[in-house]
Amino acid sequence: MIHFVSYGITNGAPPPHDLLIDCLDLPDPSPVVHDLPGFTATTAEVIMGMNDLVDSWLQLAANLIYTRAKITPSFTVAFACSAGVHRSPFAAEHVAAMMRRAGLEVAVVHRDLEVTP
């Protein structure tokens, strides 16, 4: 099982992890979807539409994790952004879906969100 945890760097130390994915370079959707968390379809559409490279970035993260899974079947990936509300939850959910389609078992936790999907 692969464990994904999204979090915000402004909310304290990172959770225990084996691999860290820095989501700070993804476009910040907060001005558009301020009240919506990153795991919603609306937030995903906004982030994906802000820059043509987002899809490539997500694929690169998925490839890295998939390659690691071939060597180590159980590990934790931390996804980091500023507050842990938009970019890191978006990336964690999106990459988790990619991993599930590839046949891997993934559990996702959003440390800094009060509501989880």
mmCIF file of all heavy atoms in Angstrom, residues 23-75:
data_model
loop_
_atom_site.group_PDB
_atom_site.id
_atom_site.type_symbol
_atom_site.label_atom_id
_atom_site.label_comp_id
_atom_site.label_asym_id
_atom_site.label_seq_id
_atom_site.Cartn_x
_atom_site.Cartn_y
_atom_site.Cartn_z
ATOM 1 N N CYS A 23 4.592 20.822 -4.308
ATOM 2 C CA CYS A 23 3.534 21.308 -5.196
ATOM 3 C C CYS A 23 3.503 22.830 -5.312
ATOM 4 O O CYS A 23 2.587 23.391 -5.923
ATOM 5 C CB CYS A 23 2.175 20.812 -4.709
ATOM 6 S SG CYS A 23 2.056 19.020 -4.597
ATOM 7 N N LEU A 24 4.484 23.507 -4.741
ATOM 8 C CA LEU A 24 4.495 24.969 -4.752
ATOM 9 C C LEU A 24 4.606 25.556 -6.153
ATOM 10 O O LEU A 24 4.202 26.701 -6.371
ATOM 11 C CB LEU A 24 5.617 25.505 -3.860
ATOM 12 C CG LEU A 24 5.383 25.310 -2.359
ATOM 13 C CD1 LEU A 24 6.646 25.637 -1.580
ATOM 14 C CD2 LEU A 24 4.222 26.160 -1.888
ATOM 15 N N ASP A 25 5.144 24.818 -7.087
ATOM 16 C CA ASP A 25 5.259 25.329 -8.463
ATOM 17 C C ASP A 25 3.984 25.168 -9.278
ATOM 18 O O ASP A 25 3.895 25.678 -10.393
ATOM 19 C CB ASP A 25 6.430 24.672 -9.198
ATOM 20 C CG ASP A 25 7.768 25.194 -8.706
ATOM 21 O OD1 ASP A 25 7.822 26.350 -8.248
ATOM 22 O OD2 ASP A 25 8.763 24.445 -8.773
ATOM 23 N N LEU A 26 3.008 24.453 -8.749
ATOM 24 C CA LEU A 26 1.714 24.379 -9.433
ATOM 25 C C LEU A 26 1.016 25.735 -9.295
ATOM 26 O O LEU A 26 1.217 26.440 -8.311
ATOM 27 C CB LEU A 26 0.838 23.284 -8.820
ATOM 28 C CG LEU A 26 1.261 21.847 -9.066
ATOM 29 C CD1 LEU A 26 0.370 20.888 -8.287
ATOM 30 C CD2 LEU A 26 1.221 21.524 -10.541
ATOM 31 N N PRO A 27 0.183 26.103 -10.266
ATOM 32 C CA PRO A 27 -0.531 27.388 -10.172
ATOM 33 C C PRO A 27 -1.430 27.431 -8.929
ATOM 34 O O PRO A 27 -2.079 26.447 -8.597
ATOM 35 C CB PRO A 27 -1.373 27.429 -11.444
ATOM 36 C CG PRO A 27 -0.801 26.405 -12.351
ATOM 37 C CD PRO A 27 -0.122 25.386 -11.495
ATOM 38 N N ASP A 28 -1.432 28.576 -8.260
ATOM 39 C CA ASP A 28 -2.249 28.753 -7.057
ATOM 40 C C ASP A 28 -3.660 29.182 -7.456
ATOM 41 O O ASP A 28 -3.862 30.283 -7.960
ATOM 42 C CB ASP A 28 -1.615 29.811 -6.154
ATOM 43 C CG ASP A 28 -2.349 29.974 -4.840
ATOM 44 O OD1 ASP A 28 -3.360 29.278 -4.620
ATOM 45 O OD2 ASP A 28 -1.895 30.805 -4.035
ATOM 46 N N PRO A 29 -4.659 28.329 -7.200
ATOM 47 C CA PRO A 29 -6.032 28.654 -7.602
ATOM 48 C C PRO A 29 -6.810 29.454 -6.568
ATOM 49 O O PRO A 29 -7.968 29.766 -6.757
ATOM 50 C CB PRO A 29 -6.655 27.277 -7.771
ATOM 51 C CG PRO A 29 -6.028 26.494 -6.668
ATOM 52 C CD PRO A 29 -4.588 26.988 -6.635
ATOM 53 N N SER A 30 -6.169 29.819 -5.425
ATOM 54 C CA SER A 30 -6.931 30.431 -4.342
ATOM 55 C C SER A 30 -7.756 31.647 -4.716
ATOM 56 O O SER A 30 -8.850 31.773 -4.192
ATOM 57 C CB SER A 30 -6.085 30.823 -3.148
ATOM 58 O OG SER A 30 -4.816 30.442 -3.162
ATOM 59 N N PRO A 31 -7.277 32.546 -5.580
ATOM 60 C CA PRO A 31 -8.151 33.687 -5.891
ATOM 61 C C PRO A 31 -9.473 33.269 -6.555
ATOM 62 O O PRO A 31 -10.482 33.941 -6.391
ATOM 63 C CB PRO A 31 -7.326 34.530 -6.852
ATOM 64 C CG PRO A 31 -5.912 34.111 -6.638
ATOM 65 C CD PRO A 31 -5.970 32.677 -6.205
ATOM 66 N N VAL A 32 -9.476 32.157 -7.266
ATOM 67 C CA VAL A 32 -10.664 31.725 -8.004
ATOM 68 C C VAL A 32 -11.546 30.802 -7.166
ATOM 69 O O VAL A 32 -12.762 30.920 -7.173
ATOM 70 C CB VAL A 32 -10.255 31.017 -9.324
ATOM 71 C CG1 VAL A 32 -11.467 30.541 -10.090
ATOM 72 C CG2 VAL A 32 -9.383 31.929 -10.169
ATOM 73 N N VAL A 33 -10.936 29.893 -6.441
ATOM 74 C CA VAL A 33 -11.684 28.870 -5.694
ATOM 75 C C VAL A 33 -11.330 28.904 -4.209
ATOM 76 O O VAL A 33 -11.132 27.867 -3.584
ATOM 77 C CB VAL A 33 -11.427 27.456 -6.268
ATOM 78 C CG1 VAL A 33 -12.003 27.317 -7.650
ATOM 79 C CG2 VAL A 33 -9.946 27.130 -6.262
ATOM 80 N N HIS A 34 -11.285 30.078 -3.653
ATOM 81 C CA HIS A 34 -10.813 30.263 -2.279
ATOM 82 C C HIS A 34 -11.491 29.324 -1.271
ATOM 83 O O HIS A 34 -10.830 28.771 -0.399
ATOM 84 C CB HIS A 34 -11.013 31.721 -1.839
ATOM 85 C CG HIS A 34 -10.540 31.977 -0.452
ATOM 86 N ND1 HIS A 34 -9.202 31.999 -0.113
ATOM 87 C CD2 HIS A 34 -11.228 32.185 0.701
ATOM 88 C CE1 HIS A 34 -9.076 32.218 1.173
ATOM 89 N NE2 HIS A 34 -10.292 32.351 1.695
ATOM 90 N N ASP A 35 -12.790 29.133 -1.377
ATOM 91 C CA ASP A 35 -13.522 28.344 -0.390
ATOM 92 C C ASP A 35 -13.608 26.850 -0.704
ATOM 93 O O ASP A 35 -14.171 26.093 0.084
ATOM 94 C CB ASP A 35 -14.949 28.889 -0.232
ATOM 95 C CG ASP A 35 -14.953 30.277 0.386
ATOM 96 O OD1 ASP A 35 -13.977 30.615 1.093
ATOM 97 O OD2 ASP A 35 -15.908 31.033 0.152
ATOM 98 N N LEU A 36 -13.059 26.420 -1.827
ATOM 99 C CA LEU A 36 -13.142 25.008 -2.212
ATOM 100 C C LEU A 36 -11.808 24.311 -1.981
ATOM 101 O O LEU A 36 -10.764 24.826 -2.356
ATOM 102 C CB LEU A 36 -13.519 24.874 -3.688
ATOM 103 C CG LEU A 36 -14.898 25.368 -4.082
ATOM 104 C CD1 LEU A 36 -15.068 25.281 -5.599
ATOM 105 C CD2 LEU A 36 -15.975 24.560 -3.387
ATOM 106 N N PRO A 37 -11.823 23.129 -1.385
ATOM 107 C CA PRO A 37 -10.575 22.391 -1.202
ATOM 108 C C PRO A 37 -10.069 21.813 -2.527
ATOM 109 O O PRO A 37 -10.798 21.733 -3.514
ATOM 110 C CB PRO A 37 -10.960 21.279 -0.224
ATOM 111 C CG PRO A 37 -12.422 21.105 -0.411
ATOM 112 C CD PRO A 37 -12.972 22.438 -0.809
ATOM 113 N N GLY A 38 -8.826 21.407 -2.509
ATOM 114 C CA GLY A 38 -8.171 20.918 -3.721
ATOM 115 C C GLY A 38 -8.709 19.630 -4.282
ATOM 116 O O GLY A 38 -8.471 19.310 -5.445
ATOM 117 N N PHE A 39 -9.450 18.858 -3.490
ATOM 118 C CA PHE A 39 -9.942 17.588 -4.021
ATOM 119 C C PHE A 39 -11.243 17.717 -4.801
ATOM 120 O O PHE A 39 -11.746 16.730 -5.325
ATOM 121 C CB PHE A 39 -10.083 16.534 -2.907
ATOM 122 C CG PHE A 39 -10.972 16.931 -1.771
ATOM 123 C CD1 PHE A 39 -12.347 16.946 -1.915
ATOM 124 C CD2 PHE A 39 -10.422 17.279 -0.552
ATOM 125 C CE1 PHE A 39 -13.164 17.312 -0.856
ATOM 126 C CE2 PHE A 39 -11.235 17.637 0.513
ATOM 127 C CZ PHE A 39 -12.611 17.653 0.359
ATOM 128 N N THR A 40 -11.793 18.934 -4.928
ATOM 129 C CA THR A 40 -13.029 19.097 -5.690
ATOM 130 C C THR A 40 -12.746 19.171 -7.188
ATOM 131 O O THR A 40 -11.664 19.595 -7.616
ATOM 132 C CB THR A 40 -13.799 20.376 -5.281
ATOM 133 O OG1 THR A 40 -13.030 21.521 -5.651
ATOM 134 C CG2 THR A 40 -14.103 20.382 -3.793
ATOM 135 N N ALA A 41 -13.720 18.778 -7.976
ATOM 136 C CA ALA A 41 -13.579 18.816 -9.439
ATOM 137 C C ALA A 41 -13.385 20.245 -9.937
ATOM 138 O O ALA A 41 -12.601 20.485 -10.860
ATOM 139 C CB ALA A 41 -14.798 18.177 -10.100
ATOM 140 N N THR A 42 -14.056 21.193 -9.318
ATOM 141 C CA THR A 42 -13.936 22.590 -9.740
ATOM 142 C C THR A 42 -12.507 23.089 -9.553
ATOM 143 O O THR A 42 -11.930 23.717 -10.439
ATOM 144 C CB THR A 42 -14.912 23.483 -8.946
ATOM 145 O OG1 THR A 42 -16.235 23.014 -9.176
ATOM 146 C CG2 THR A 42 -14.797 24.935 -9.364
ATOM 147 N N THR A 43 -11.925 22.811 -8.397
ATOM 148 C CA THR A 43 -10.542 23.232 -8.136
ATOM 149 C C THR A 43 -9.594 22.549 -9.108
ATOM 150 O O THR A 43 -8.673 23.188 -9.631
ATOM 151 C CB THR A 43 -10.150 22.934 -6.679
ATOM 152 O OG1 THR A 43 -11.073 23.585 -5.808
ATOM 153 C CG2 THR A 43 -8.750 23.418 -6.383
ATOM 154 N N ALA A 44 -9.798 21.274 -9.366
ATOM 155 C CA ALA A 44 -8.947 20.554 -10.315
ATOM 156 C C ALA A 44 -9.025 21.191 -11.695
ATOM 157 O O ALA A 44 -7.993 21.380 -12.361
ATOM 158 C CB ALA A 44 -9.354 19.083 -10.381
ATOM 159 N N GLU A 45 -10.222 21.544 -12.135
ATOM 160 C CA GLU A 45 -10.381 22.183 -13.451
ATOM 161 C C GLU A 45 -9.650 23.519 -13.508
ATOM 162 O O GLU A 45 -9.013 23.837 -14.511
ATOM 163 C CB GLU A 45 -11.862 22.397 -13.755
ATOM 164 C CG GLU A 45 -12.611 21.128 -14.079
ATOM 165 C CD GLU A 45 -14.108 21.371 -14.264
ATOM 166 O OE1 GLU A 45 -14.495 22.504 -14.619
ATOM 167 O OE2 GLU A 45 -14.879 20.425 -14.045
ATOM 168 N N VAL A 46 -9.731 24.291 -12.447
ATOM 169 C CA VAL A 46 -9.051 25.593 -12.414
ATOM 170 C C VAL A 46 -7.544 25.404 -12.485
ATOM 171 O O VAL A 46 -6.857 26.043 -13.292
ATOM 172 C CB VAL A 46 -9.451 26.394 -11.150
ATOM 173 C CG1 VAL A 46 -8.574 27.623 -10.974
ATOM 174 C CG2 VAL A 46 -10.920 26.800 -11.226
ATOM 175 N N ILE A 47 -6.998 24.507 -11.661
ATOM 176 C CA ILE A 47 -5.543 24.283 -11.670
ATOM 177 C C ILE A 47 -5.086 23.758 -13.024
ATOM 178 O O ILE A 47 -4.101 24.249 -13.582
ATOM 179 C CB ILE A 47 -5.129 23.326 -10.539
ATOM 180 C CG1 ILE A 47 -5.369 23.980 -9.175
ATOM 181 C CG2 ILE A 47 -3.656 22.933 -10.678
ATOM 182 C CD1 ILE A 47 -5.154 23.054 -7.986
ATOM 183 N N MET A 48 -5.790 22.780 -13.550
ATOM 184 C CA MET A 48 -5.401 22.195 -14.850
ATOM 185 C C MET A 48 -5.469 23.233 -15.968
ATOM 186 O O MET A 48 -4.672 23.199 -16.903
ATOM 187 C CB MET A 48 -6.287 20.998 -15.186
ATOM 188 C CG MET A 48 -6.116 19.817 -14.265
ATOM 189 S SD MET A 48 -4.511 19.018 -14.347
ATOM 190 C CE MET A 48 -4.662 18.126 -15.866
ATOM 191 N N GLY A 49 -6.407 24.170 -15.877
ATOM 192 C CA GLY A 49 -6.581 25.170 -16.921
ATOM 193 C C GLY A 49 -5.643 26.358 -16.822
ATOM 194 O O GLY A 49 -5.577 27.176 -17.742
ATOM 195 N N MET A 50 -4.912 26.482 -15.720
ATOM 196 C CA MET A 50 -4.060 27.650 -15.514
ATOM 197 C C MET A 50 -2.716 27.564 -16.224
ATOM 198 O O MET A 50 -2.077 28.588 -16.445
ATOM 199 C CB MET A 50 -3.844 27.887 -14.013
ATOM 200 C CG MET A 50 -5.113 28.295 -13.285
ATOM 201 S SD MET A 50 -4.876 28.487 -11.500
ATOM 202 C CE MET A 50 -4.312 30.188 -11.435
ATOM 203 N N ASN A 51 -2.271 26.353 -16.525
ATOM 204 C CA ASN A 51 -0.966 26.191 -17.156
ATOM 205 C C ASN A 51 -0.945 24.857 -17.898
ATOM 206 O O ASN A 51 -1.286 23.828 -17.317
ATOM 207 C CB ASN A 51 0.134 26.244 -16.091
ATOM 208 C CG ASN A 51 1.529 26.277 -16.668
ATOM 209 O OD1 ASN A 51 1.849 25.525 -17.573
ATOM 210 N ND2 ASN A 51 2.364 27.148 -16.126
ATOM 211 N N ASP A 52 -0.486 24.884 -19.137
ATOM 212 C CA ASP A 52 -0.439 23.667 -19.950
ATOM 213 C C ASP A 52 0.536 22.622 -19.399
ATOM 214 O O ASP A 52 0.459 21.456 -19.777
ATOM 215 C CB ASP A 52 -0.044 24.006 -21.388
ATOM 216 C CG ASP A 52 -1.122 24.794 -22.113
ATOM 217 O OD1 ASP A 52 -2.290 24.749 -21.675
ATOM 218 O OD2 ASP A 52 -0.786 25.462 -23.112
ATOM 219 N N LEU A 53 1.447 23.021 -18.537
ATOM 220 C CA LEU A 53 2.454 22.092 -18.018
ATOM 221 C C LEU A 53 1.986 21.300 -16.798
ATOM 222 O O LEU A 53 2.678 20.390 -16.357
ATOM 223 C CB LEU A 53 3.735 22.844 -17.675
ATOM 224 C CG LEU A 53 4.450 23.490 -18.858
ATOM 225 C CD1 LEU A 53 5.658 24.282 -18.371
ATOM 226 C CD2 LEU A 53 4.873 22.437 -19.872
ATOM 227 N N VAL A 54 0.823 21.627 -16.250
ATOM 228 C CA VAL A 54 0.345 20.932 -15.053
ATOM 229 C C VAL A 54 0.201 19.439 -15.314
ATOM 230 O O VAL A 54 0.637 18.614 -14.508
ATOM 231 C CB VAL A 54 -0.981 21.538 -14.536
ATOM 232 C CG1 VAL A 54 -1.582 20.686 -13.420
ATOM 233 C CG2 VAL A 54 -0.766 22.958 -14.057
ATOM 234 N N ASP A 55 -0.377 19.071 -16.423
ATOM 235 C CA ASP A 55 -0.557 17.654 -16.738
ATOM 236 C C ASP A 55 0.790 16.938 -16.828
ATOM 237 O O ASP A 55 0.939 15.831 -16.309
ATOM 238 C CB ASP A 55 -1.350 17.490 -18.036
ATOM 239 C CG ASP A 55 -1.767 16.052 -18.257
ATOM 240 O OD1 ASP A 55 -2.355 15.448 -17.342
ATOM 241 O OD2 ASP A 55 -1.484 15.522 -19.352
ATOM 242 N N SER A 56 1.773 17.558 -17.454
ATOM 243 C CA SER A 56 3.113 16.961 -17.548
ATOM 244 C C SER A 56 3.743 16.819 -16.165
ATOM 245 O O SER A 56 4.395 15.817 -15.873
ATOM 246 C CB SER A 56 4.022 17.808 -18.441
ATOM 247 O OG SER A 56 3.526 17.835 -19.749
ATOM 248 N N TRP A 57 3.557 17.826 -15.327
ATOM 249 C CA TRP A 57 4.092 17.788 -13.963
ATOM 250 C C TRP A 57 3.485 16.617 -13.188
ATOM 251 O O TRP A 57 4.186 15.876 -12.501
ATOM 252 C CB TRP A 57 3.779 19.117 -13.273
ATOM 253 C CG TRP A 57 4.378 19.268 -11.915
ATOM 254 C CD1 TRP A 57 5.557 19.867 -11.588
ATOM 255 C CD2 TRP A 57 3.822 18.807 -10.671
ATOM 256 N NE1 TRP A 57 5.755 19.819 -10.235
ATOM 257 C CE2 TRP A 57 4.705 19.174 -9.641
ATOM 258 C CE3 TRP A 57 2.652 18.136 -10.343
ATOM 259 C CZ2 TRP A 57 4.467 18.876 -8.309
ATOM 260 C CZ3 TRP A 57 2.420 17.832 -9.006
ATOM 261 C CH2 TRP A 57 3.315 18.210 -8.006
ATOM 262 N N LEU A 58 2.162 16.454 -13.297
ATOM 263 C CA LEU A 58 1.486 15.353 -12.611
ATOM 264 C C LEU A 58 1.958 13.999 -13.130
ATOM 265 O O LEU A 58 2.152 13.060 -12.355
ATOM 266 C CB LEU A 58 -0.028 15.484 -12.777
ATOM 267 C CG LEU A 58 -0.662 16.674 -12.066
ATOM 268 C CD1 LEU A 58 -2.071 16.910 -12.587
ATOM 269 C CD2 LEU A 58 -0.671 16.478 -10.557
ATOM 270 N N GLN A 59 2.153 13.893 -14.431
ATOM 271 C CA GLN A 59 2.632 12.640 -15.010
ATOM 272 C C GLN A 59 4.044 12.318 -14.527
ATOM 273 O O GLN A 59 4.362 11.164 -14.233
ATOM 274 C CB GLN A 59 2.599 12.715 -16.545
ATOM 275 C CG GLN A 59 2.884 11.397 -17.219
ATOM 276 C CD GLN A 59 1.870 10.323 -16.857
ATOM 277 O OE1 GLN A 59 0.679 10.518 -16.981
ATOM 278 N NE2 GLN A 59 2.337 9.178 -16.404
ATOM 279 N N LEU A 60 4.877 13.332 -14.418
ATOM 280 C CA LEU A 60 6.240 13.134 -13.920
ATOM 281 C C LEU A 60 6.202 12.634 -12.472
ATOM 282 O O LEU A 60 6.918 11.686 -12.114
ATOM 283 C CB LEU A 60 7.021 14.442 -14.013
ATOM 284 C CG LEU A 60 8.468 14.406 -13.551
ATOM 285 C CD1 LEU A 60 9.283 13.456 -14.408
ATOM 286 C CD2 LEU A 60 9.067 15.802 -13.608
ATOM 287 N N ALA A 61 5.367 13.251 -11.635
ATOM 288 C CA ALA A 61 5.226 12.802 -10.243
ATOM 289 C C ALA A 61 4.728 11.360 -10.197
ATOM 290 O O ALA A 61 5.242 10.532 -9.428
ATOM 291 C CB ALA A 61 4.280 13.724 -9.480
ATOM 292 N N ALA A 62 3.745 11.036 -11.030
ATOM 293 C CA ALA A 62 3.199 9.673 -11.069
ATOM 294 C C ALA A 62 4.259 8.673 -11.514
ATOM 295 O O ALA A 62 4.363 7.574 -10.947
ATOM 296 C CB ALA A 62 1.994 9.623 -12.002
ATOM 297 N N ASN A 63 5.053 9.030 -12.495
ATOM 298 C CA ASN A 63 6.115 8.132 -12.961
ATOM 299 C C ASN A 63 7.144 7.873 -11.874
ATOM 300 O O ASN A 63 7.609 6.743 -11.700
ATOM 301 C CB ASN A 63 6.789 8.702 -14.207
ATOM 302 C CG ASN A 63 5.923 8.628 -15.437
ATOM 303 O OD1 ASN A 63 4.940 7.888 -15.481
ATOM 304 N ND2 ASN A 63 6.252 9.416 -16.441
ATOM 305 N N LEU A 64 7.506 8.907 -11.134
ATOM 306 C CA LEU A 64 8.454 8.767 -10.034
ATOM 307 C C LEU A 64 7.913 7.809 -8.976
ATOM 308 O O LEU A 64 8.605 6.895 -8.517
ATOM 309 C CB LEU A 64 8.740 10.141 -9.427
ATOM 310 C CG LEU A 64 9.628 10.184 -8.206
ATOM 311 C CD1 LEU A 64 11.056 9.772 -8.566
ATOM 312 C CD2 LEU A 64 9.624 11.580 -7.613
ATOM 313 N N ILE A 65 6.654 8.008 -8.604
ATOM 314 C CA ILE A 65 6.038 7.165 -7.580
ATOM 315 C C ILE A 65 5.859 5.736 -8.075
ATOM 316 O O ILE A 65 6.121 4.769 -7.348
ATOM 317 C CB ILE A 65 4.702 7.783 -7.124
ATOM 318 C CG1 ILE A 65 4.987 9.109 -6.410
ATOM 319 C CG2 ILE A 65 3.912 6.824 -6.236
ATOM 320 C CD1 ILE A 65 3.774 9.997 -6.247
ATOM 321 N N TYR A 66 5.445 5.576 -9.311
ATOM 322 C CA TYR A 66 5.253 4.235 -9.876
ATOM 323 C C TYR A 66 6.582 3.474 -9.914
ATOM 324 O O TYR A 66 6.635 2.286 -9.581
ATOM 325 C CB TYR A 66 4.647 4.334 -11.277
ATOM 326 C CG TYR A 66 4.275 2.992 -11.851
ATOM 327 C CD1 TYR A 66 3.118 2.346 -11.440
ATOM 328 C CD2 TYR A 66 5.092 2.371 -12.793
ATOM 329 C CE1 TYR A 66 2.769 1.107 -11.954
ATOM 330 C CE2 TYR A 66 4.754 1.136 -13.310
ATOM 331 C CZ TYR A 66 3.592 0.498 -12.889
ATOM 332 O OH TYR A 66 3.268 -0.730 -13.392
ATOM 333 N N THR A 67 7.647 4.171 -10.284
ATOM 334 C CA THR A 67 8.974 3.543 -10.320
ATOM 335 C C THR A 67 9.395 3.115 -8.915
ATOM 336 O O THR A 67 9.923 2.022 -8.724
ATOM 337 C CB THR A 67 10.015 4.509 -10.929
ATOM 338 O OG1 THR A 67 9.602 4.828 -12.261
ATOM 339 C CG2 THR A 67 11.389 3.892 -10.957
ATOM 340 N N ARG A 68 9.138 3.967 -7.937
ATOM 341 C CA ARG A 68 9.457 3.634 -6.548
ATOM 342 C C ARG A 68 8.648 2.421 -6.091
ATOM 343 O O ARG A 68 9.149 1.562 -5.356
ATOM 344 C CB ARG A 68 9.179 4.846 -5.653
ATOM 345 C CG ARG A 68 9.291 4.613 -4.164
ATOM 346 C CD ARG A 68 10.718 4.745 -3.695
ATOM 347 N NE ARG A 68 10.848 4.437 -2.295
ATOM 348 C CZ ARG A 68 11.237 5.291 -1.366
ATOM 349 N NH1 ARG A 68 11.542 6.522 -1.697
ATOM 350 N NH2 ARG A 68 11.365 4.906 -0.126
ATOM 351 N N ALA A 69 7.403 2.327 -6.512
ATOM 352 C CA ALA A 69 6.528 1.226 -6.102
ATOM 353 C C ALA A 69 7.023 -0.119 -6.632
ATOM 354 O O ALA A 69 6.753 -1.159 -6.027
ATOM 355 C CB ALA A 69 5.100 1.477 -6.563
ATOM 356 N N LYS A 70 7.746 -0.104 -7.740
ATOM 357 C CA LYS A 70 8.316 -1.350 -8.268
ATOM 358 C C LYS A 70 9.402 -1.894 -7.343
ATOM 359 O O LYS A 70 9.617 -3.093 -7.278
ATOM 360 C CB LYS A 70 8.912 -1.114 -9.654
ATOM 361 C CG LYS A 70 7.889 -0.883 -10.730
ATOM 362 C CD LYS A 70 8.588 -0.677 -12.055
ATOM 363 C CE LYS A 70 7.618 -0.442 -13.180
ATOM 364 N NZ LYS A 70 8.312 -0.221 -14.459
ATOM 365 N N ILE A 71 10.060 -0.996 -6.616
ATOM 366 C CA ILE A 71 11.158 -1.378 -5.727
ATOM 367 C C ILE A 71 10.660 -1.597 -4.306
ATOM 368 O O ILE A 71 11.058 -2.540 -3.634
ATOM 369 C CB ILE A 71 12.243 -0.274 -5.740
ATOM 370 C CG1 ILE A 71 12.795 -0.091 -7.146
ATOM 371 C CG2 ILE A 71 13.358 -0.584 -4.757
ATOM 372 C CD1 ILE A 71 13.596 1.180 -7.336
ATOM 373 N N THR A 72 9.792 -0.701 -3.852
ATOM 374 C CA THR A 72 9.275 -0.725 -2.484
ATOM 375 C C THR A 72 7.751 -0.686 -2.533
ATOM 376 O O THR A 72 7.185 0.339 -2.889
ATOM 377 C CB THR A 72 9.780 0.506 -1.692
ATOM 378 O OG1 THR A 72 11.191 0.589 -1.813
ATOM 379 C CG2 THR A 72 9.388 0.423 -0.244
ATOM 380 N N PRO A 73 7.078 -1.766 -2.191
ATOM 381 C CA PRO A 73 5.624 -1.794 -2.328
ATOM 382 C C PRO A 73 4.852 -0.968 -1.300
ATOM 383 O O PRO A 73 3.691 -0.666 -1.498
ATOM 384 C CB PRO A 73 5.289 -3.280 -2.188
ATOM 385 C CG PRO A 73 6.423 -3.858 -1.430
ATOM 386 C CD PRO A 73 7.627 -3.042 -1.757
ATOM 387 N N SER A 74 5.499 -0.586 -0.202
ATOM 388 C CA SER A 74 4.817 0.193 0.829
ATOM 389 C C SER A 74 5.688 1.375 1.245
ATOM 390 O O SER A 74 6.808 1.177 1.721
ATOM 391 C CB SER A 74 4.521 -0.687 2.044
ATOM 392 O OG SER A 74 3.854 0.067 3.036
ATOM 393 N N PHE A 75 5.171 2.587 1.033
ATOM 394 C CA PHE A 75 5.895 3.795 1.406
ATOM 395 C C PHE A 75 4.921 4.957 1.473
ATOM 396 O O PHE A 75 3.773 4.847 1.071
ATOM 397 C CB PHE A 75 7.051 4.086 0.442
ATOM 398 C CG PHE A 75 6.657 4.263 -0.990
ATOM 399 C CD1 PHE A 75 6.460 5.532 -1.525
ATOM 400 C CD2 PHE A 75 6.486 3.164 -1.824
ATOM 401 C CE1 PHE A 75 6.098 5.691 -2.852
ATOM 402 C CE2 PHE A 75 6.129 3.316 -3.149
ATOM 403 C CZ PHE A 75 5.932 4.585 -3.673
#
